[in-house]
Amino acid sequence: MKFQGHIPNRSPEFYTKFLMPIVLLKKAVDSVRRYIDRAIWTELVKGEKVDNEILNLVLFIVFCLLSLLTFRLEKYQTSVIILFSCLWYVDRLLAKRRYFHGKERSVTSLTASKDGMVAWTMRSPLEEPRQMRFHRHHLSHIAIRAIRANGGAFDSAIARAWQVELILTDETNLLMYEEPRAIDAIDRARELADLFEVRIVFRDSEGQRAYADPAIARTSSSMRMASRNPTRNNAVGLTQTAQRWHIFSRWTFGHSWQFFGKVFHESGFLLFTLLLTRFMSRFGEMLDTLITYYRASEIVYLDFSGIFNFFFQPNLSWIDWIAVAIATTIAIGRGAQISQVKHVYIDRQKFRFAINRKEIRQFNLPEIEMVLLITQPEPLILICDRDRALEIRDLLREEDYRAMWIDIEQGIAHFQSA
């Protein structure tokens, strides 16, 4: 028996070295953004204290140096940001095209012989072939892992995909397939599992024991028991009748901060960069004045008017307004996507999923084989029958995914048993 798979090639693009200065600058700005996001999210949302004095000092020094540079190049900053954003966008488009349609791919093969020996090989365009032989009894299980595929010079997220791996008893991982669609990865995994008579495990998953990750099964069980208390998650609603369960996401005022934080974190980089550079220009102007007074041995005056004017009199040019409009449109679009209401309807015959009033997918209830909560790299609820798969995404928090997943499991079990 022989199997063959293809893995999209995500090696660096030929023009990566020419964009390296821009890439490093973007990474520096993104590091500041992630640190601010993490600090705000941890301190204001979770109530935990972020305390790292050395890192704070280093970031402050870097911030001061970049502020001085930004002030000196103030008249060009918006044009440069727009140019860099266009380069990033084109790079991401090329990376996505190469990922989905590129001809250069790693090729995997798996050959099982009658004596029980199995030969695995991976051939990559730019690497030496990798090979391994093992006895079929040393194959522990087939693993399916959700991944976020990155690519391009900027190493941007270009796709969500699913990897199928062979897991040996010594915990060796052998990658066999990478598929953009969950159902394709599941079909590949089923073929291997049927041949070798082993189970399929979804990495970082919670749910039925037949498919859930055993490494987190105990934690999952305890958390589910804690979640089945009278205090419900108010971001997930449930309406029960004898004929149907209706499970739905809903907007609550208490989740406003998480909503804006998620939108800004996922799609607010351009807007953040525009605001940050404008603020840095004013801060750099103040630093430049201080340095000038100090060199002239004059009395140093602290003038914060430029920083205050950043908030009350931004004095944006037409190109600034265009950039802000583009950044705001991106953020609003992502916000609209996240804020859509997700509906799940369960009755004796059907399982239906809709977004707002549009039905996305339906299953025959007796044919549903798995309902899993995948926690990495970002949470999602995966529901599958033999031929189709549904991924429920774009809830605000992992707790919301868990609450909806538990309600779905209970609803399916209720009507299947009936």
Side-chain angles (χ1 to χ4, degrees):
M1 186 70 69
K2 185 172 183 178
F3 296 86
Q4 189 174 67
H6 297 86
I7 313 298
N9 189 2
R10 296 193 290 273
S11 59
E13 303 287 351
F14 69 92
Y15 54 80
T16 298
K17 59 182 179 181
F18 301 106
L19 296 180
M20 189 54 62
I22 303 175
V23 173
L24 294 176
L25 182 59
K26 180 185 180 296
K27 287 183 177 180
V29 176
D30 204 27
S31 297
V32 175
R33 181 181 72 100
R34 285 199 306 270
Y35 180 77
I36 293 175
D37 281 355
R38 187 167 60 249
I40 293 176
W41 186 267
T42 304
E43 291 195 20
L44 297 184
V45 177
K46 294 186 177 180
E48 301 173 1
K49 185 67 176 176
V50 176
D51 215 355
N52 191 328
E53 295 182 1
I54 296 178
L55 180 59
N56 289 339
L57 177 61
V58 171
L59 285 175
F60 181 71
I61 293 173
V62 172
F63 181 79
C64 291
L65 294 175
L66 289 177
S67 296
L68 287 170
L69 179 62
T70 304
F71 169 65
R72 299 294 175 85
L73 302 175
E74 183 174 11
K75 64 171 65 175
Y76 308 108
Q77 62 183 230
T78 303
S79 301
V80 170
I81 291 173
I82 293 177
L83 174 61
F84 286 1
S85 298
C86 292
L87 290 176
W88 170 83
Y89 183 72
V90 171
D91 173 66
R92 187 168 179 269
L93 284 180
L94 292 175
K96 290 185 70 172
R97 180 180 179 84
R98 185 181 184 188
Y99 180 83
F100 289 106
H101 307 292
K103 296 181 179 180
E104 290 187 357
R105 293 173 174 249
S106 299
V107 179
T108 60
S109 63
L110 192 70
T111 305
S113 56
K114 294 182 179 179
D115 60 358
M117 296 304 296
V118 182
W120 172 87
T121 305
M122 174 181 283
R123 292 182 172 85
S124 302
L126 301 177
E127 299 177 1
E128 292 294 326
R130 296 173 54 197
Q131 297 180 339
M132 178 171 287
R133 289 177 58 85
F134 58 91
H135 196 278
R136 62 182 298 156
H137 292 157
H138 293 161
L139 179 61
S140 171
H141 59 274
I142 307 299
I144 301 178
R145 182 201 306 268
I147 67 165
R148 183 192 299 112
N150 295 340
F154 292 91
D155 197 33
S156 305
I158 56 177
R160 292 165 173 165
W162 300 83
Q163 291 182 338
V164 179
E165 301 172 318
L166 309 175
I167 310 299
L168 306 186
T169 52
D170 62 358
E171 298 185 356
T172 299
N173 299 353
L174 302 177
L175 180 60
M176 190 64 202
Y177 301 103
E178 183 172 317
E179 302 287 349
R181 298 198 314 155
I183 192 61
D184 293 334
I186 293 170
D187 288 343
R188 302 286 194 184
R190 281 171 175 157
E191 293 177 359
L192 296 173
D194 292 342
L195 171 65
F196 294 104
E197 298 179 341
V198 295
R199 63 179 294 204
I200 298 173
V201 172
F202 282 79
R203 290 290 187 92
D204 303 305
S205 69
E206 305 173 23
Q208 297 105 323
R209 294 182 180 180
Y211 297 99
D213 191 338
I216 58 176
R218 294 182 180 178
T219 303
S220 168
S221 178
S222 62
M223 294 183 69
R224 290 176 64 185
M225 292 299 295
S227 299
R228 295 178 190 271
N229 53 48
T231 303
R232 289 189 51 80
N233 184 316
N234 57 6
V236 177
L238 172 61
T239 302
Q240 298 172 265
T241 66
Q243 290 75 33
R244 187 179 75 172
W245 282 27
H246 177 203
I247 306 162
F248 54 94
S249 63
R250 59 187 175 189
W251 177 269
T252 63
F253 182 76
H255 291 84
S256 300
W257 176 254
Q258 286 89 348
F259 171 77
F260 289 111
K262 184 178 179 68
V263 171
F264 190 74
H265 177 76
E266 295 185 3
S267 59
F269 180 77
L270 178 57
L271 184 59
F272 172 83
T273 305
L274 291 168
L275 296 176
L276 179 65
T277 52
R278 180 66 63 176
F279 178 81
M280 289 172 66
S281 294
R282 303 284 69 80
F283 187 74
E285 181 181 17
M286 185 185 73
L287 292 178
D288 185 74
T289 302
L290 292 177
I291 293 172
T292 300
Y293 285 151
Y294 179 79
R295 287 180 175 178
S297 299
E298 297 180 3
I299 298 176
V300 176
Y301 296 96
L302 292 178
D303 184 6
F304 295 96
S305 60
I307 297 178
F308 292 143
N309 287 337
F310 163 76
F311 297 100
F312 301 108
Q313 297 178 353
N315 294 325
L316 300 179
S317 65
W318 65 270
I319 195 170
D320 293 330
W321 282 113
I322 292 177
V324 170
I326 294 173
T328 304
T329 301
I330 294 173
I332 290 175
R334 180 59 179 146
Q337 186 179 19
I338 294 174
S339 63
Q340 295 179 111
V341 181
K342 288 78 179 175
H343 298 273
V344 173
Y345 303 95
I346 306 174
D347 58 34
R348 295 178 185 274
Q349 287 80 34
K350 297 290 183 180
F351 174 101
R352 296 180 175 87
F353 175 73
I355 296 179
N356 294 335
R357 297 183 179 181
K358 181 181 180 181
E359 184 173 294
I360 304 299
R361 184 66 50 85
Q362 68 169 268
F363 300 91
N364 294 324
L365 194 69
E367 297 176 1
I368 293 178
E369 296 186 353
M370 68 181 78
V371 180
L372 297 174
L373 172 65
I374 311 292
T375 57
Q376 296 294 335
E378 60 267 326
L380 66 91
I381 299 171
L382 180 67
I383 302 169
C384 302
D385 64 8
R386 197 68 189 177
D387 303 312
R388 293 166 299 171
L390 168 67
E391 301 174 29
I392 301 178
R393 300 179 181 268
D394 290 332
L395 300 180
L396 286 178
R397 304 174 304 172
E398 184 174 322
E399 291 84 356
D400 304 337
Y401 285 95
R402 181 167 282 106
M404 180 172 284
W405 162 64
I406 290 175
D407 285 343
I408 290 173
E409 269 202 329
Q410 290 181 334
I412 292 175
H414 173 77
F415 285 105
Q416 282 183 340
S417 61

